[in-house]
Amino acid sequence: MCKRIEMKTTQKKNLSESVAIMLRSKIMKGELQANERIIESEVAEAMQVTRGPVREALKILEYEGLVTYETKKGCKVTKLSSEDTYEVFYLRGSLEIMSLKLAGGRISDISLLTMKSYLEEMKKSSEENDIEKMVQWDELFHQEIIRAGNMKRLTKMWESLSPLNGAMFLKVNDIYVLREGETWEDVFGEYQRQNFYDSHKILLEKLEEKNLDAAVESLWNHYIKTGERIYKIEARRKLLNKA
C-alpha cells in the first residue's frame, strides 16, 4: 500500500513538473504574454492530464514569479513591477558582494575556469536568443561567486531568490521594448542596455584580476546599477504617459 501511494505521488509530481516545463517555456519564448490568462482546463486538455497536475504546476510557476494567482479569476502571466525588479537585483548583488568580501576577492582558478565555460555557453544562448538557457547559464555563473564565501546560510539566502531569475530576465527584456508613440531618446536617454554576454565577460575579467575593490565595483554595476536603470526607465515612461 505504501509503495502504491509513493508511486502515485511520484507520478503526479512528474506530471506537474512536465506541465510546468511546458508553460515556463511558452512564457520565456513569449508565446504567453504578460497579463495573459492561463486556463487550467485548456492546459489540461492540451497536455492530456487532469487539472490536478496543472494546478500544482501553476503553484510552481507562481513561486518562480512567472504567474500570479487572483481569487475567482485564476492565474495570469506576471509582469514584475520596477520595485520588485530593483529589490531582487539589489539583494542578489549585495549577497554576492558579501560572499566575495568573505573570500577576499579571490575565486579559485578552477571556479574561474568553470565560469569561463559557462560564459561561452552564455554567448551561444544569447546569439540564439534562448532565454531559458540564458537564465540557466547565468545562474550557474553566479553560483560560483556565491559559493566562494563558503557560508551555507548566505548561499541559501541567495538560492531563495533563484526561482525569480527567469522573471527578472523577462522584465529586463520587456523594459527595453519601445511602446507605441515612444522614442528611444525620450524613454531611455542615457540608460543604454548592456549586452548580456559582454556584461558577464567584464565581470569575469575583474574577478580574474583578484582585486577585491575592482570586483566589488563590477558586481555593483552588474546588479544594483542595472536595477536602478530599470526603475528610472519605468519612472520616465510613466511620466511621459501622463504628459
Side-chain angles (χ1 to χ4, degrees):
M1 179 67 73
C2 289
K3 285 186 177 180
R4 285 185 181 179
I5 293 172
E6 187 178 329
M7 285 178 67
K8 285 182 180 180
T9 302
T10 302
Q11 288 171 351
K12 185 177 179 182
K13 183 179 179 182
N14 290 340
L15 283 174
S16 300
E17 289 175 350
S18 296
V19 176
I21 288 169
M22 184 274 289
L23 290 173
R24 188 186 297 111
S25 179
K26 284 183 174 292
I27 293 170
M28 291 295 188
K29 291 176 181 177
E31 294 174 19
L32 287 171
Q33 295 287 321
N35 297 320
E36 186 173 342
R37 295 279 170 199
I38 298 176
I39 312 300
E40 285 184 12
S41 58
E42 292 179 0
V43 176
E45 185 178 352
M47 293 288 290
Q48 295 185 330
V49 297
T50 61
R51 292 177 66 171
V54 176
R55 202 168 292 120
E56 291 301 315
L58 290 172
K59 287 180 182 178
I60 293 171
L61 298 180
E62 184 179 17
Y63 175 65
E64 294 176 1
L66 293 174
V67 303
T68 303
Y69 176 78
E70 293 181 341
T71 306
K72 296 182 180 180
K73 291 183 180 180
C75 282
K76 67 177 182 178
V77 180
T78 301
K79 184 177 182 180
L80 285 182
S81 69
S82 55
E83 290 84 359
D84 289 332
T85 307
Y86 176 74
E87 283 186 17
V88 177
F89 270 115
Y90 186 90
L91 290 171
R92 276 179 68 101
S94 296
L95 291 171
E96 286 182 36
I97 287 170
M98 287 172 65
S99 181
L100 195 59
K101 286 182 176 179
L102 285 168
R106 303 182 69 84
I107 293 180
S108 72
D109 290 339
I110 292 176
S111 286
L112 290 171
L113 282 171
T114 302
M115 292 170 76
K116 190 170 287 186
S117 70
Y118 294 152
L119 186 64
E120 289 309 308
E121 294 298 334
M122 281 185 196
K123 187 176 184 180
K124 290 179 188 176
S125 57
S126 182
E127 289 169 349
E128 295 167 359
N129 197 30
D130 189 331
I131 297 178
E132 283 184 274
K133 287 185 179 178
M134 288 165 69
V135 171
Q136 292 170 9
W137 295 120
D138 175 83
E139 192 71 12
L140 290 170
F141 181 94
H142 287 277
Q143 195 174 69
E144 295 296 322
I145 300 173
I146 202 69
R147 287 178 175 174
N150 198 29
M151 190 174 282
K152 291 180 181 179
R153 291 185 185 277
L154 179 62
T155 300
K156 284 184 178 180
M157 288 176 69
W158 182 86
E159 287 174 346
S160 71
L161 296 167
S162 293
L164 289 168
N165 210 11
M168 299 300 295
F169 268 73
L170 290 177
K171 178 64 177 182
V172 172
N173 281 351
D174 177 70
I175 203 76
Y176 283 100
V177 175
L178 281 174
R179 316 294 193 248
E180 186 178 350
E182 293 180 344
T183 66
W184 185 272
E185 184 60 34
D186 285 341
V187 178
F188 306 117
E190 71 276 20
Y191 305 121
Q192 301 298 312
R193 181 174 187 175
Q194 289 182 311
N195 178 277
F196 173 74
Y197 167 75
D198 288 341
S199 64
H200 284 83
K201 185 172 182 289
I202 292 168
L203 176 55
L204 181 57
E205 287 171 352
K206 295 300 179 184
L207 291 169
E208 287 175 329
E209 292 174 7
K210 300 186 187 297
N211 180 312
L212 178 59
D213 291 339
V216 165
E217 183 181 2
S218 187
L219 265 175
W220 183 268
N221 290 332
H222 185 79
Y223 274 117
I224 288 82
K225 287 295 182 182
T226 299
E228 288 178 358
R229 257 197 314 275
I230 289 171
Y231 188 88
K232 289 175 181 178
I233 287 169
E234 196 146 287
R236 287 176 66 152
R237 180 170 268 144
K238 287 176 181 177
L239 284 172
L240 285 169
N241 289 336
K242 287 181 180 180

